[in-house]
Amino acid sequence: MARRVKEFVDRYPIVSLQDLKRPMVFVVDMNNGFLKQGALHDRGIMECVKPIETLLQQQIPSIFFTDAHHVQAMEFDSYPAHCVEGTLECEIIDELYPYVKSKIEKHSTNAFVSEGFEKFLIEDVYKYDD
């Protein structure tokens, strides 16, 4: 995971939730395998948890994405084995787990091309319409 760079963050204006028509939060890869254990974890990412939790406390609709790879995943040709299906690495970290109402397992680096996200767009997105 990429670290936040202050200069990058400072370029974007702060937007009020009241300014957004239908806000939705996508929480991606806040699972044990990237924050707490395993070949690709980085405890430094924990600094992102509190701001995410603060946002989720505002009861905005949210979807959590978590890595969940098959044992023979092609991704393991490029990255060390991580977040193998059925392991604790795939689980959302305890600090954010109370906010999980909807979770999509992804099998690649891009959450938005996962089958679960496609299904969400086709079947569920309309329940958020005005």
Side-chain angles (χ1 to χ4, degrees), residues 4-56:
R4 271 186 324 148
V5 176
K6 185 175 179 355
E7 295 79 27
F8 177 82
V9 174
D10 289 345
R11 282 188 272 185
Y12 293 91
I14 295 174
V15 177
S16 167
L17 287 175
Q18 290 74 26
D19 294 337
L20 302 175
K21 184 176 179 184
R22 292 183 310 210
M24 176 170 273
V25 177
F26 295 99
V27 182
V28 181
D29 290 342
M30 296 303 285
N31 50 302
N32 291 319
F34 290 128
L35 281 84
K36 296 187 175 185
Q37 64 186 42
L40 296 181
H41 87 284
D42 180 348
R43 287 196 165 274
I45 300 167
M46 290 295 291
E47 72 181 55
C48 297
V49 173
K50 200 63 178 162
I52 293 169
E53 184 177 20
T54 299
L55 184 60
L56 294 170

Side-chain angles (χ1 to χ4, degrees), residues 41 53 57 66 79 96 126:
H41 87 284
E53 184 177 20
Q57 287 171 343
T66 186
Y79 299 97
L96 296 177
Y126 300 107

